[in-house]
Amino acid sequence: MMTIKEIRKRLDGGEMSCRELTTAYLDAVKRDNPALNAYILLTEEEALRVADAVDARRAKGEMLSPLEGVPFALKDCVTTKGIATTCASKMLADYIPFFDAFIWEKLREQNAVMIGKGNMDEFAMGSTGETSYFGPASNPHNLDYVPGGSSSGVAAAVAGGLAVFGIGSDTGGSVRIPAAFCGLVGLKPTYGAVSRRGVIAYGSSLDQIGPIAACAEDAALVFDAINAKDPGDMTSVGSEPVTPKLTGSVAGMKIGMAKEFFEVMSPPVREAIERSVKLFEKMGAEIVSLDFPMLRYTLSTYYIIACAEAASNLGKFDGLRYGYRTDAAADLDDFICRTRTEGFGQEVRRRILLGTYVLSAGYYDAYYNKAQQLRRAIKGEFAKMFKECDLLLGPTVATTALKKGSGLTPVEMYQTDICTSSVNLAGLPAVSVPCGFDEKGLPIGLQLVGPHFKEDRVLSAALAFERETAGEYLRASGMGVKL
Ligand code: GLN
């Protein structure tokens, strides 16, 4: 696993050309991707084209941007003109978009090198990566385990040394959960910090795009490259660059811990979090104990709102305009019904049905409206907690990675999001940073949540933790590129 800084040193110091670097990554993908299934699509031609452009700029002595020439993985819900964008669904398996997503435009402006499109849970619905139409990705730390989802492929690629950073989307935890399971740093920015134009929507009031990276400084650099305001996304406001503001210190900070998070943790996670809390105290932070009684309602609230929005967002996939279409149908109704039944996987269909149910006239008040009221109450509790502290600390996930094919029921699977989804309901920024390993060597993630637009604060605390632990928890998986 290489950091952006290490790559910069090699490229800027003329130690290797960008073509050599890119070829090394492409070769590693060809060797290791069959085991990891991290990439759905390898974008070799595009990668080499950009690599050559970077080398030409280097030869002319032009100033290179921070991400210039750096190989990355892009989650396959991000639209790329002329390059297949599938959302890991049969519905979009042959879809070639005719426009670019804002974030892809931004990364291209920087000449970052896209290695390929990352595997994911179908339409980002899942926490393990196993709902992908293209099969599950594997955790590079142990191939029998899931990398976490829904940004499964991007996390597997970074931890597996097949990309330096990745771009994921996070509706209820999909950047932070795979970051935690793969021993990486994952940042879910404040709602509105990053434009979603061209990102295939799941839950529009919750979705955010964020980096998955090897360390906090890398996450900051990637965030700075994509967080501009975009008139093409009315919810986007952009935010200040965070890299110049990273202090790497928590001295004098008040860090809150909600007791309720401690009730859900498995023993190895609890041990790692408790050890980390002591380290934060040692670094000069004051720990305050807080109550978050609404935590018990967050999963029901999140799943009602996310499914309602998904049912609406996915209504456009009817086979009439683009995407999969059935071959045999008696009439128009039958055509749409068959197309959607055949084109969507089981979990996506379940959520569309659930979302349609909670939005239907007879149940709207009982479910959807009530969920909106609860969402307001959850936001209120966060606001109250932030009156007493600067940051909140807890686990990212209550357990470590699950074994592939664990056969959990949908509701058991939804519980993976217990610590992450409330953050999306409140639109807050949060980072997952590695803080330990369980007895099987699977990584554990610590979550730091900040007030709106305080990405600098959450990343500074993550950086402080990395420094204090001397990167002890950023252990490489041993797979991937060796330079
Ligand atoms: N696991 C959650 C879900 O399935 C979160 C997914 C996400 O953040 N995209 O809804």
Side-chain angles (χ1 to χ4, degrees):
M1 219 164 44
M2 306 272 292
T3 63
I4 296 176
K5 209 192 261 175
E6 285 161 357
I7 295 281
R8 274 272 60 85
K9 213 156 75 198
R10 302 221 178 181
L11 287 177
D12 298 349
E15 224 173 277
M16 66 193 312
S17 72
C18 190
R19 181 171 258 268
E20 281 165 342
L21 175 77
T22 305
T23 308
Y25 273 88
L26 291 169
D27 289 347
V29 173
K30 286 174 198 160
R31 188 186 64 228
D32 291 345
N33 198 52
L36 287 175
N37 203 16
Y39 288 103
I40 294 175
L41 180 75
L42 193 59
T43 48
E44 182 162 10
E45 214 177 289
E46 164 73 21
L48 291 173
R49 187 186 63 74
V50 177
D52 288 343
V54 174
D55 284 334
R57 274 166 48 78
R58 278 192 339 161
K60 281 192 257 164
E62 288 175 24
M63 269 285 285
L64 302 190
S65 68
L67 301 185
E68 188 139 2
V70 182
F72 77 100
L74 189 62
K75 188 174 182 180
D76 207 21
C77 57
V78 181
T79 299
T80 44
K81 185 172 164 181
I83 298 171
T85 301
T86 69
C87 255
S89 179
K90 181 176 175 187
M91 186 58 90
L92 291 177
D94 299 316
Y95 172 56
I96 312 275
F98 53 88
F99 66 104
D100 283 326
F102 176 83
I103 38 172
W104 170 225
E105 282 171 0
K106 283 280 147 207
L107 291 163
R108 269 223 308 217
E109 271 166 29
Q110 290 236 355
N111 279 329
V113 177
M114 178 166 73
I115 298 293
K117 303 290 296 277
N119 202 352
M120 57 186 280
D121 279 294
E122 184 179 1
F123 283 103
M125 296 175 188
S127 312
T128 62
E130 290 171 296
T131 72
S132 168
Y133 175 61
F134 302 102
S138 303
N139 190 319
H141 291 273
N142 185 331
L143 298 178
D144 294 332
Y145 286 77
V146 301
S150 65
S151 310
S152 52
V154 158
V158 179
L162 303 183
V164 178
F165 71 88
I167 298 286
S169 67
D170 191 313
T171 306
S174 281
V175 160
R176 291 159 287 158
I177 295 167
F181 283 1
C182 288
L184 300 168
V185 174
L187 172 71
K188 188 215 79 82
T190 308
Y191 184 77
V194 181
S195 162
R196 286 99 37 90
R197 170 161 61 86
V199 178
I200 297 173
Y202 166 14
S204 305
S205 76
L206 303 155
D207 296 341
Q208 254 303 286
I209 298 297
I212 294 184
C215 61
E217 281 172 310
D218 282 7
L221 279 174
V222 178
F223 175 64
D224 286 345
I226 58 174
N227 78 2
K229 181 175 165 59
D230 170 21
D233 173 354
M234 288 191 319
T235 64
S236 109
V237 287
S239 92
E240 298 276 297
V242 295
T243 302
K245 292 202 239 162
L246 290 188
T247 59
S249 162
V250 290
M253 258 192 212
K254 278 192 177 167
I255 299 187
M257 281 189 356
K259 291 199 281 290
E260 288 74 4
F261 281 126
F262 283 75
E263 287 157 16
V264 296
M265 286 189 277
S266 69
V269 174
R270 171 186 282 267
E271 207 177 288
I273 299 292
E274 280 170 355
R275 195 175 52 234
S276 309
V277 168
K278 291 208 184 88
L279 288 177
F280 276 103
E281 275 181 318
K282 185 172 156 229
M283 289 185 276
E286 181 193 338
I287 303 293
V288 286
S289 177
L290 299 170
D291 294 315
F292 184 20
M294 292 299 290
L295 180 69
R296 55 197 284 244
Y297 299 114
T298 61
L299 283 180
S300 353
T301 306
Y302 167 78
Y303 274 94
I304 288 173
I305 292 173
C307 291
E309 294 181 6
S312 161
N313 276 325
L314 270 57
K316 59 182 167 283
F317 300 111
D318 53 13
L320 295 175
R321 285 160 276 212
Y322 60 100
Y324 175 81
R325 55 168 53 178
T326 188
D327 310 325
D331 54 25
L332 182 62
D333 276 357
D334 188 43
F335 170 83
I336 294 175
C337 181
R338 277 175 194 264
T339 294
R340 289 169 67 78
T341 308
E342 292 162 17
F344 289 132
Q346 196 186 28
E347 183 59 29
V348 175
R349 292 201 304 272
R350 176 182 293 118
R351 298 205 188 186
I352 292 174
L353 290 175
L354 201 93
T356 307
Y357 180 81
V358 300
L359 287 175
S360 61
Y363 295 102
Y364 187 91
D365 281 342
Y367 293 105
Y368 185 70
N369 245 350
K370 200 162 266 173
Q372 293 293 7
Q373 286 162 350
L374 283 166
R375 181 178 192 171
R376 249 188 314 278
I378 290 165
K379 269 189 193 168
E381 279 197 356
F382 272 113
K384 211 166 113 196
M385 289 193 280
F386 281 123
K387 285 208 177 101
E388 290 173 56
C389 67
D390 304 300
L391 277 179
L392 286 165
L393 181 157
T396 307
V397 192
T399 64
T400 48
L402 307 170
K403 211 161 187 171
K404 276 200 221 156
S406 58
L408 296 185
T409 63
V411 172
E412 283 166 346
M413 183 67 75
Y414 300 165
Q415 278 160 9
T416 316
D417 310 330
I418 178 82
C419 305
T420 47
S421 55
S422 54
V423 175
N424 299 68
L425 288 167
L428 298 164
V431 67
S432 178
V433 58
C435 72
F437 294 93
D438 71 3
E439 66 291 351
K440 295 190 231 69
L442 293 166
I444 299 170
L446 168 110
Q447 179 173 239
L448 295 159
V449 186
H452 292 115
F453 296 105
K454 294 293 181 208
E455 279 80 2
D456 59 325
R457 197 182 292 169
V458 296
L459 286 168
S460 280
L463 178 60
F465 185 73
E466 270 170 28
R467 286 187 179 155
E468 182 65 27
T469 53
E472 187 186 340
Y473 304 123
L474 303 174
R475 196 185 297 159
S477 66
M479 294 185 81
V481 94
K482 311 232 164 15
L483 297 177

